[in-house]
Amino acid sequence: MGTSTVATAGFDEFIDPLDGRLDASQWILNNAHGFMPVPLMVTDPSVGVGGGAALLFFHETDEQKAKRQADIESVSDIPPSVTGVVGLATSNGSKLAGVFHSGNWMNDRVRYLGGLFGAKFNLKYYPEAQSEAYDYDIGGLYFFQNLDARIQDTNFFLGADYTLMRSDVSFATPKALVGVLPATLSGKGQDASVAIKFMYDNRNNQFSPDEGTKAGIKTSFHDKHIGSDFNYTEYQAYINHYQPINGQWTVAVRADVKSIDGEAPFYAKPFIDLRGIPAMRYQGDDMGLAEVQVNYALDSRWTLLGFAGVGQVKDSRSQNTDEKIHQTYGGGFRYLVARQLGFKAGIDVAKGPDEWATYIQFGSAW
């Protein structure tokens, strides 16, 4: 077999036999060495410009493989397990590396997510309503374990997770700052939590859903008895809903609220997590946000989308907290890169209160 024949055969793995278009399903699933490289681009003003890559390895069960090979038109209703290796760096010296595994076990009766990451971020802290920022860096290790178990044959899940974060914080100009515990101004610390949660999930795909709902409530206990230097409790309630309108239009809505009770380190306070707003730009004891996204399918592969969101934070222990409603908007596109996984990737461009930001999206944005 000549070199050109081998090259052609290899390229054929990236062509979908169903529509003859570029597709990674066969490469990912038919090869023991199959993986999906995902470029990561960072344009978040909080850490500068940079990027990296993630290598995602997909693991099918024998049952999933047999079903897929018997019907090439099928889309997996239970996604294969995924193992990932991630690394990135940015222009201001921030960097991150780690590994994770997402597993679907016992025919999706048990879902697992766990990982270990090491990172060093050079960030800015905005005390409450102040516009003046203070430079600090935080580095260390982050370890997490998460397990969800389906309740009988329903779409309801009970779950628990454990997180451990060992950090070393240093402010460029150490001094007393509003909202910052003296113990976290400089030096090493450890924050650990155990959480219990209840979730409903009937989405038609865990990677890039376009129908169904994921909603849940979660309570996380941070306590010295489980290895934390801090005592506080975090509460969360959220819902993501995807509603198809017809064969081309889909509307997705999202709402998320978080609240903390106790003495939390400043970097653990809830923040507005919306496309277009730098991470940790707006923080408080209480946070709420809502976002809507409208998708238009150009064909079976390409999708255009537009979105808009609002968010607000409050600090229950201060009269100076920023309680403005912050707005974002933007647009983007998705391409169905692995049809038999129902997996899409693309780019979003968003405008927040201060500036524009660009995101390379792996699957759904939320």
Side-chain angles (χ1 to χ4, degrees):
M1 181 180 294
T3 303
S4 61
T5 304
V6 173
T8 301
F11 184 74
D12 284 345
E13 290 189 302
F14 292 93
I15 300 300
D16 191 337
L18 191 65
D19 61 9
R21 302 173 77 173
L22 185 66
D23 187 275
S25 299
Q26 295 183 80
W27 165 258
I28 294 171
L29 299 174
N30 288 340
N31 298 284
H33 59 280
F35 62 90
M36 175 177 287
V38 179
L40 303 175
M41 182 170 65
V42 181
T43 60
D44 194 308
S46 63
V47 293
V49 177
L55 298 180
L56 306 179
F57 300 84
F58 293 77
H59 318 285
E60 273 188 315
T61 65
D62 292 338
E63 181 181 357
Q64 287 174 315
K65 184 175 182 178
K67 179 180 178 181
R68 175 176 57 83
Q69 293 180 338
D71 181 7
I72 65 170
E73 296 187 22
S74 67
V75 176
S76 177
D77 52 349
I78 300 175
S81 298
V82 182
T83 300
V85 180
V86 181
L88 62 84
T90 73
S91 58
N92 81 342
S94 297
K95 50 192 173 182
L96 175 146
V99 296
F100 71 89
H101 180 76
S102 174
N104 287 74
W105 304 335
M106 300 172 62
N107 201 32
D108 200 32
R109 300 195 67 82
V110 178
R111 297 176 181 178
Y112 166 83
L113 178 64
L116 176 65
F117 287 83
K120 180 180 183 297
F121 292 109
N122 299 315
L123 301 169
K124 295 182 182 295
Y125 173 65
Y126 296 83
E128 299 182 348
Q130 299 179 28
S131 59
E132 181 181 3
Y134 295 86
D135 294 327
Y136 74 96
D137 63 70
I138 179 171
L141 293 175
Y142 180 68
F143 172 76
F144 61 96
Q145 297 287 296
N146 180 85
L147 202 65
D148 294 293
R150 188 182 295 270
I151 301 175
Q152 297 183 344
D153 295 323
T154 71
N155 291 315
F156 292 95
F157 293 79
L158 281 176
D161 67 39
Y162 174 78
T163 64
L164 175 64
M165 179 178 174
R166 293 179 176 173
S167 59
D168 191 352
V169 178
S170 177
F171 276 84
T173 307
K175 65 177 182 178
L177 295 175
V178 177
V180 178
L181 298 174
T184 62
L185 270 174
S186 181
K188 297 181 179 180
Q190 182 167 288
D191 192 5
S193 71
V194 171
I196 55 174
K197 52 186 178 171
F198 179 68
M199 178 179 70
Y200 175 84
D201 187 3
N202 73 338
R203 296 170 300 163
N204 63 341
N205 185 277
Q206 291 184 35
F207 294 133
S208 304
D210 54 27
E211 184 176 3
T213 302
K214 181 178 180 180
I217 55 175
K218 177 179 178 180
T219 302
S220 302
F221 303 94
H222 301 250
D223 192 275
K224 295 182 179 180
H225 293 94
I226 55 175
S228 179
D229 294 335
F230 311 96
N231 288 314
Y232 65 100
T233 305
E234 181 178 4
Y235 307 93
Q236 180 185 19
Y238 67 91
I239 181 170
N240 300 339
H241 178 69
Y242 306 84
Q243 182 63 53
I245 304 302
N246 54 35
Q248 291 181 294
W249 293 93
T250 300
V251 175
V253 293
R254 167 197 180 204
D256 190 359
V257 294
K258 291 182 180 179
S259 179
I260 57 171
D261 180 23
E263 296 295 333
F266 72 96
Y267 50 78
K269 289 186 176 183
F271 62 89
I272 299 176
D273 181 17
L274 287 171
R275 287 167 286 184
I277 294 181
M280 302 178 71
R281 173 62 180 89
Y282 302 105
Q283 292 179 270
D285 293 333
D286 305 296
M287 185 282 302
L289 63 81
E291 191 174 17
V292 61
Q293 178 172 301
V294 178
N295 301 339
Y296 177 76
L298 295 174
D299 57 23
S300 61
R301 292 281 179 176
W302 290 97
T303 301
L304 297 179
L305 59 90
F307 54 86
V310 294
Q312 184 182 39
V313 293
K314 296 183 179 181
D315 197 317
S316 59
R317 288 181 289 274
S318 173
Q319 300 299 317
N320 300 320
T321 183
D322 177 5
E323 297 187 10
K324 294 180 182 178
I325 296 178
H326 303 283
Q327 301 177 333
T328 64
Y329 61 89
F333 71 88
R334 297 290 185 273
Y335 179 77
L336 184 62
V337 295
R339 180 184 54 78
Q340 289 188 290
L341 293 171
F343 174 78
K344 300 177 182 179
I347 297 175
D348 291 338
V349 178
K351 175 68 169 65
D354 302 313
E355 50 195 303
W356 290 88
T358 304
Y359 306 86
I360 291 182
Q361 300 289 6
F362 171 81
S364 176
W366 25 274

